[in-house]
Amino acid sequence: MVDHLANTEINSQRIAAVENCFGASGQPLAVPGRVLLGEGILTKECRKKPKPRIFFLFNDILVYGSIVINKRKYNSQHIIPLEDVTLETLPDTLQMKNRWMIKTSKKSFVVSAASLTERKEWISHLEECIRHLLTKTGRQPSTEHAAPWIPDKATDICMRCTQTKFSTLTRRHHCRKCGFVVCADCSRQRFLMPRLSPKPLRVCNLCYRQLLAEKKKEAEADRRQPEPIHSALLGYEPSSGDDSDKSDDDKADQWPADTEFYTSEVSWSSFHS
């Protein structure tokens, strides 16, 4: 299907339509050999509450963003290289069904589909694209993944000290290493984790001690073996940071009312053929 669509006019039109929907806030998506395979709305489990997000599956990347006007305007664009993606099916909860986790070295998060069939379709297409890319590049599947953030409502107390109770005055924080919800006293440290960010990030006290110990071991290993080991992903620039606290109520003024998404008779959760 990828080879069939790669150089077609309809594929170029579809990618251009996605670029137009993100407008100036998005990155260019049209590159030689890239094919838009499908799109759909999935529910993303964010820090404060689950939110609908638009997802676009290409043969080499997964793109998602916030919905301002469906099929007209999206923002907060995120681009994930599929080579870095690992999937994990999750059990249903009382609030969310048909869940799975998208794990990468920079960010991991949970999404859910409207039906079990839709989840199977998404996972099947994602796994096929990932398998094809890894075969093409000769890379092994990624084994290092960022921890998903525990939702704020999952706990009323700090998950480290188990003493501090959160309130309007006592804020929740997240450790960027383990994803736990922690209080300020249990997360006063910052640590540089280059895979996640070029800046030092908030970590809980336990993870800080573990990271310091790992850094000490790496320094000792570097003294024995001075040649640096470069990551294949260091050159990749993420499109944006965490979107969980951003408002979905952006104004749509000055957006052309006659902007058209490509027409299709199939449902919004379709995969193109």
Side-chain angles (χ1 to χ4, degrees), residues 54-221:
I54 185 70
F55 281 79
F56 297 96
L57 176 61
F58 297 81
N59 59 322
D60 61 335
I61 58 174
L62 181 66
V63 177
Y64 74 91
S66 300
I67 303 169
V68 181
I69 304 175
N70 191 29
K71 296 191 177 182
R72 290 292 185 271
K73 184 177 182 181
Y74 307 125
N75 61 15
S76 302
Q77 184 192 72
H78 294 249
I79 299 177
I80 303 174
L82 289 181
E83 289 181 350
D84 192 35
V85 171
T86 302
L87 306 177
E88 179 183 349
T89 303
L90 300 175
D92 293 346
T93 65
L94 292 176
Q95 296 78 23
M96 305 287 290
K97 298 184 182 300
N98 311 309
R99 305 163 66 234
W100 76 96
M101 187 183 298
I102 298 174
K103 300 190 290 187
T104 79
S105 60
K106 293 181 178 294
K107 183 176 183 178
S108 300
F109 55 92
V110 176
V111 294
S112 63
S115 68
L116 181 60
T117 299
E118 188 179 320
R119 181 180 73 172
K120 288 180 179 178
E121 192 174 45
W122 268 104
I123 291 178
S124 173
H125 283 82
L126 279 163
E127 288 180 339
E128 185 175 351
C129 290
I130 294 167
R131 198 161 44 240
H132 177 76
L133 280 171
L134 292 178
T135 301
K136 184 178 178 180
T137 61
R139 286 187 54 193
Q140 294 298 313
S142 179
T143 57
E144 291 190 42
H145 306 120
W149 284 18
I150 304 296
D152 284 3
K153 292 184 179 180
T155 179
D156 290 328
I157 61 172
C158 173
M159 298 177 72
R160 282 305 182 201
C161 69
T162 68
Q163 301 296 321
T164 302
K165 188 171 183 178
F166 299 119
S167 65
T168 53
L169 297 179
T170 306
R171 289 187 55 204
R172 291 171 168 83
H173 300 279
H174 277 82
C175 171
R176 270 57 170 184
K177 181 67 170 61
C178 66
F180 277 24
V181 183
V182 291
C183 65
D185 287 341
C186 288
S187 60
R188 294 192 179 280
Q189 305 294 341
R190 301 288 190 277
F191 199 89
L192 180 62
M193 294 177 282
R195 276 188 171 271
L196 300 183
S197 172
K199 298 179 180 179
L201 300 174
R202 179 188 293 269
V203 293
C204 69
N205 297 341
L206 177 61
C207 286
Y208 182 72
R209 292 192 294 270
Q210 292 175 344
L211 288 166
L212 280 180
E214 291 173 6
K215 185 177 181 181
K216 183 178 179 181
K217 288 182 180 179
E218 290 174 0
E220 292 173 352

Side-chain angles (χ1 to χ4, degrees), residues 227-242:
E227 288 294 327
I229 301 174
H230 298 291
S231 168
L233 291 175
L234 288 180
Y236 175 74
E237 291 296 332
S239 53
S240 56
D242 178 55

Side-chain angles (χ1 to χ4, degrees), residues 1-12 31-35:
M1 182 171 66
V2 172
D3 293 338
H4 174 70
L5 291 171
N7 299 309
T8 62
E9 182 64 23
I10 185 62
N11 180 61
S12 298
V31 299
R34 178 168 290 166
V35 175

